[in-house]
Amino acid sequence: MMPGSDRVTATYHIETAFPLEQAAATMAGEQSTGTFVRVPGETDALREAHAARVEELVELGDVAAPSLPGSGLPKGGGDGRRRTARVTLSWPLANFGPSLPNVLATIAGNLSELKAFSGLKLVDITLPPAFLDRYQGPQFGVAGTRRLAGVYDRPILGTIIKPSVGLSPEATAEQVRVLVEAGVDFIKDDELQADGPHCPFDARIAAVMRVIRDHADRTGKKVMYAANLTGDIDEMLWRHDQVLAQGGTCIMASMNSIGLPAMRMLRAHAQLPIHGHRNGWGMLGRSPAIGMHYIAFQKLWRLAGIDHSHVNGIDNKFCETNDSVIASARECLTPMFAPPHPGCEILPVFSSGQSVMQAAATYQALGTTDLMYAAGGGIMAHPGGPAAGVRALRLAWDAAVAGVPLADAAKDAPELRAAMQAFGG
């Protein structure tokens, strides 16, 4: 039986030496009625109304050795096999109500600690539309971000302030001046730069926004600057208001640092797009045996209210595979809820070692330009300078969309040709 609209579902990849049906039942019991033996008050009616259900169980294959330490064996040692499987569980909404913190406690909770499992990873979740009664979802998303950035029919081209820390407000503003004059669409603080004594938030925002406003007055293009306001809730709300008062058009918060309730409160207060930075994601997503896949993770944060989120990039400098990157980006653009409910789509942000060399592969895999393409060295380290770096990226994406090979597009484009020579290795 498939879950109804009043149920939350979660899909997992598991590894266990126990019989699969027993292992799945253990998961369901641990995260609902929570007992392995009947206790007083645990009636059949209570179990029927509140116990988690195993909706699907698909055996996938065996592994030779446990992926995680501390796992146990069934009584008698079992049959010597350690199986993997895909398991989908569902819970009635009545168990926790439309509450993201309590959903997270239910779908993740103590599962990864159970001795029966030598691997258990959350892969995906589905939430009923009742959550939209409490959570607002993204306020701007793709269309609103494009409107504020003034960029249509191509990716939003972005970059980041480097060095990450150590610059004064004035030095930061000078780097921003170089970047806005180069023609970039979007600039962000590094997640390590928030409100340190060497570069206080209010001084940095005042200096940076003065440059951005002056550039907009001269050219008509207002570059989007994602100011990192990560902090305690009262600090974040105050910092948002400083950005708004200075004419800023974006804010950034580190999702794992502030938590879902703080993000929900920031979203309720915000009048600007929220650039959700996923730093710390590797602790949750890197292991194939534990944690959660980004496809599950990002749904929680979309509902809480972010407008953009990083997904790494093709041939990135980190450990994530290209298939995983594209699956994550595609999921950001896939509606969470069916019409007439809002889909809560957000803008995927490609980053991490991106240059002209990955544009074609990114477009071919994703099939859309609804993305942000963030290049640090791909802009700043261009042999002809940042303006040539931005120009080369524009040309690379024009070629990608037109289906023109990069080498052909570069024949009459010296900026693109120089970028290929600089970054092609």
Side-chain angles (χ1 to χ4, degrees), residues 80-378:
R81 295 176 60 192
R82 194 170 292 271
R83 299 169 175 85
T84 64
R86 183 176 69 249
V87 179
T88 299
L89 305 181
S90 76
W91 295 260
L93 184 61
N95 279 19
F96 33 72
S99 165
L100 288 180
N102 290 306
V103 163
L104 189 57
T106 298
I107 63 176
N110 295 326
L111 283 176
S112 296
E113 301 176 51
L114 291 172
K115 189 178 287 188
F117 299 93
S118 54
L120 193 154
K121 184 164 185 172
L122 177 63
V123 176
D124 199 1
I125 57 174
T126 302
L127 302 172
F131 278 81
L132 292 167
D133 295 336
R134 179 176 292 183
Y135 297 93
Q136 295 176 285
Q139 183 175 184
F140 293 87
V142 177
T145 299
R146 284 194 176 283
R147 175 177 54 81
L148 287 173
V151 176
Y152 304 93
D153 303 320
R154 65 171 176 83
I156 295 173
L157 301 181
T159 192
I160 185 172
I161 299 296
K162 292 289 185 180
S164 306
V165 294
L167 297 179
S168 67
E170 294 74 21
T172 303
E174 176 57 23
Q175 188 172 128
V176 168
R177 183 192 65 76
V178 172
L179 291 167
V180 298
E181 291 180 357
V184 77
D185 306 314
F186 175 93
I187 305 168
K188 64 176 285 293
D189 282 333
D190 190 88
E191 70 274 13
L192 301 175
Q193 177 64 272
D195 191 31
H198 65 285
C199 194
F201 183 89
D202 53 351
R204 182 172 79 255
I205 300 311
V208 167
M209 287 310 305
R210 188 178 305 115
V211 170
I212 290 176
R213 289 194 308 269
D214 288 349
H215 181 76
D217 290 343
R218 286 186 286 108
T219 67
K221 180 181 177 65
K222 192 171 200 179
V223 174
M224 182 172 276
Y225 172 63
N228 182 21
L229 50 62
T230 302
D232 293 329
I233 293 175
D234 57 338
E235 293 174 321
M236 292 195 295
L237 302 186
W238 181 86
R239 290 169 186 165
H240 165 276
D241 293 349
Q242 301 308 303
V243 175
L244 185 67
Q246 293 282 349
T249 54
C250 195
I251 54 175
M252 184 180 101
S254 296
M255 298 182 284
N256 286 314
S257 299
I258 70 172
L260 288 164
M263 185 64 79
R264 178 190 178 222
M265 183 168 288
L266 178 60
R267 163 64 178 91
H269 180 83
Q271 299 179 50
L272 301 171
I274 300 172
H275 188 87
H277 201 295
R278 70 176 192 176
N279 53 85
W281 163 248
M283 292 188 294
L284 294 172
R286 184 170 187 175
S287 171
I290 199 169
M292 68 175 73
H293 197 286
Y294 185 72
I295 287 175
F297 176 84
Q298 53 87 33
K299 287 182 178 178
L300 302 171
W301 294 99
R302 285 164 64 181
L303 196 53
I306 64 171
D307 295 283
H308 320 149
S309 183
H310 291 240
V311 296
N312 274 331
I314 295 292
D315 299 337
N316 59 81
K317 66 182 181 183
F318 296 128
C319 63
E320 192 168 2
T321 65
N322 291 344
D323 286 346
S324 176
V325 168
I326 294 301
S328 297
R330 189 175 291 120
E331 195 67 30
C332 289
L333 296 167
T334 300
M336 285 179 62
F337 305 101
H341 305 290
C344 297
E345 299 93 330
I346 62 171
L347 190 72
V349 180
F350 283 72
S351 61
S352 174
Q354 302 303 285
S355 72
V356 299
M357 303 307 297
Q358 294 103 317
T362 302
Y363 181 71
Q364 289 166 9
L366 192 61
T368 181
T369 59
D370 281 339
L371 60 102
M372 185 180 291
Y373 198 71

